[in-house]
Amino acid sequence: MKLNFTQFTFAGFVLILFSCGEKSENSSAAKSFSLEIIDSVAIDYLGEMMLMDYDSKADKYLLATNSYYEYLEVDTRGKILNHHKFSEEGIDPVGQALGLGYFNGDVTVFNPPKGYYRFQDSTKVGEITIPYSYQVIMMYPKLGVFESGNKIYYPKPWPETLAVNMVEGEFYQAMYRLPIIESQDKVTGDTLSALSLPETSDLLGDQIHGFPIPVYTMDEDKLLLSMWFENRFYVYNKVGDQFVYEKTVNVNIPDWIPYTPVPIDKPEQFFLENQKKAPGNLTNILVSGDYYIAVYNKGLSEAAVTELGPPTDGGLAKRRKNPNYAAIFDKDFNQLATNVPFPIASNYPNVVNKDGEFVVSKVAGLSETEDDGIILYKLKLTQQ
């Protein structure tokens, strides 16, 4: 069954080209940053795709449709290296494409209940089997598969024994305490939980916070984790085969629209309360040179959502009102800037290439100009 990633996310898209970032309250000195377009790349393909991932060794980019069922691989000049569409039938069928990205240079798709299928030049070359019964009810905006030593790591799916019941507070409490990342031994196939939320997390209290979408980034032996709907991220250090919690970093975001948690005994109120607004989302954490970049949308107030009314343009008006921004941190997690906008009409920022450039795909419906194909923007983070 084909699903659409935009059905599972609430983040908006970007309107303005670039501007100076605001000074954060915990910054020791005023710093001004901008994201400037330094180049664009045209891809000769008629249709909409979003940039998903980047393979630094081969210096190539991966783009896909919203359903993840069709993808392109292109080089740095936009030349199409491979074009493939998964099939639900025949040899190596992909029944559900719930995550897509590169793993060791292979296009890798999360295909429950089989696990992860790996492709080279449209041909399946391997798979990572998850050796137990599990359930998945969301798409992953980042694939999240990586290896270290003799282990492969990936987002741990929910066990089949977890009773999904959205009107029971105990379900949410159990969900928040589930391991987020699992390791698998490359030789034996044995699995082991590798990372969970720290006990200090607000999500482990006595309230309901909705459905988290874990998104994480590795930087050498550090792992930075966002749960999507919080304006904070969690820092872990890799120790052996496990990840040990180090600290929580709060992201200072003026005008952030928080979600409203509800008591554990009133789960039905959560969606009734939060559907009136569009809560802010921290959608990614990127690494470029000496900086960490937290990517976020501030969200929309109840008044702003009411003013927009029901969507009539596929959600484009909402994207225009709720653009993507960056908060800049140094490697000691000092926040240097906030509200640094990404380019006009850009899709979700997912990629930093080996030159430290941010690369984003263009959303045709958010642009005032028409292009014959897909456009990628290359951006440089500059400090004034």
Side-chain angles (χ1 to χ4, degrees):
M1 178 179 65
K2 294 183 181 180
L3 300 174
N4 189 314
F5 173 58
T6 56
Q7 295 172 339
F8 293 84
T9 60
F10 308 96
F13 291 75
V14 182
L15 296 178
I16 42 185
L17 184 64
F18 60 88
S19 70
C20 296
E22 299 175 8
K23 177 187 175 183
S24 168
E25 291 180 359
N26 63 348
S27 175
S28 59
K31 297 181 185 295
S32 182
F33 290 84
S34 64
L35 286 163
E36 301 180 9
I37 296 178
I38 58 173
D39 197 6
S40 63
V41 177
I43 301 170
D44 186 14
Y45 175 84
L46 295 178
E48 189 89 12
M49 286 197 180
M50 57 183 172
L51 181 61
M52 298 292 301
D53 209 348
Y54 169 71
D55 177 21
S56 59
K57 290 185 178 179
D59 206 14
K60 61 182 179 179
Y61 298 94
L62 176 66
L63 300 95
T65 58
N66 277 344
S67 67
Y68 298 169
Y69 260 80
E70 185 175 2
Y71 66 84
L72 296 175
E73 293 182 272
V74 304
D75 65 16
T76 56
R77 297 173 296 174
K79 178 183 177 181
I80 297 175
L81 305 174
N82 186 36
H83 179 197
H84 182 59
K85 182 183 294 185
F86 297 122
S87 173
E88 299 180 54
E89 301 177 349
I91 301 175
D92 304 323
V94 175
Q96 298 183 84
L98 298 187
L100 187 72
Y102 280 122
F103 172 58
N104 287 352
D106 297 340
V107 175
T108 303
V109 59
F110 184 34
N111 178 31
K114 296 293 186 179
Y116 295 89
Y117 281 7
R118 301 171 61 178
F119 290 83
Q120 292 179 7
D121 298 327
S122 303
T123 300
K124 182 186 171 190
V125 295
E127 66 181 274
I128 304 168
T129 302
I130 299 177
Y132 53 82
S133 297
Y134 60 92
Q135 55 185 322
V136 183
I137 66 169
M138 67 178 180
M139 297 177 76
Y140 291 90
K142 291 179 71 173
L143 183 68
V145 181
F146 64 95
E147 69 176 358
S148 179
N150 66 337
K151 305 286 187 182
I152 295 174
Y153 296 83
Y154 48 83
K156 181 174 174 61
W158 293 357
E160 191 177 52
T161 54
L162 178 68
V164 179
N165 190 336
M166 299 182 188
V167 297
E168 291 290 339
E170 291 76 13
F171 159 69
Y172 293 92
Q173 287 188 314
M175 175 179 62
Y176 300 144
R177 290 191 172 275
L178 288 174
I180 296 170
I181 298 176
E182 177 172 83
S183 69
Q184 183 174 140
D185 190 286
K186 290 190 286 187
V187 177
T188 66
D190 294 339
T191 62
L192 185 67
S193 299
L195 183 149
S196 299
L197 283 173
E199 287 298 322
T200 54
S201 172
D202 291 346
L203 303 187
L204 302 186
D206 57 358
Q207 293 181 305
I208 292 174
H209 305 268
F211 284 89
I213 304 176
V215 175
Y216 51 85
T217 297
M218 287 293 297
D219 181 33
E220 297 181 349
D221 285 335
K222 284 192 181 297
L223 185 145
L224 314 179
L225 167 71
S226 163
M227 297 300 282
W228 197 269
F229 51 54
E230 298 182 292
N231 60 331
R232 61 179 59 92
F233 58 90
Y234 303 90
V235 181
Y236 296 79
N237 292 303
K238 189 172 185 298
V239 179
D241 295 331
Q242 299 291 301
F243 289 89
V244 178
Y245 170 72
E246 176 186 341
K247 65 191 297 184
T248 299
V249 178
N250 293 308
V251 185
N252 176 28
I253 302 173
D255 302 321
W256 171 268
I257 305 296
Y259 69 91
T260 302
V262 301
I264 199 71
D265 61 343
K266 298 180 179 179
E268 69 283 353
Q269 289 188 0
F270 182 85
F271 297 101
L272 291 174
E273 183 69 27
N274 287 281
Q275 69 182 358
K276 302 174 185 177
K277 56 186 175 181
N281 302 130
L282 201 162
T283 60
N284 214 334
I285 306 164
L286 304 174
V287 185
S288 178
D290 296 328
Y291 301 108
Y292 293 127
I293 297 89
V295 180
Y296 61 90
N297 311 94
K298 295 181 184 181
L300 297 174
S301 67
E302 183 176 343
V305 170
T306 300
E307 182 181 354
L308 280 173
T312 58
D313 58 358
L316 291 176
K318 188 175 182 180
R319 295 180 182 186
R320 292 187 182 97
K321 290 285 188 180
N322 192 20
N324 282 357
Y325 292 97
I328 314 300
F329 291 81
D330 64 21
K331 288 299 184 74
D332 293 321
F333 300 103
N334 297 305
Q335 188 171 343
L336 307 177
T338 190
N339 289 348
V340 181
F342 281 86
I344 187 170
S346 70
N347 216 315
Y348 294 94
N350 281 329
V351 166
V352 176
N353 66 21
K354 65 181 182 181
D355 297 320
E357 300 164 343
F358 299 80
V359 186
V360 294
S361 51
K362 178 180 177 180
V363 179
L366 292 177
S367 176
E368 296 180 356
T369 60
E370 293 186 7
D371 300 289
D372 295 328
I374 299 172
I375 301 296
L376 303 182
Y377 292 131
K378 291 186 178 181
L379 318 173
K380 181 180 180 182
L381 180 66
T382 60
Q383 179 182 345
Q384 288 79 35

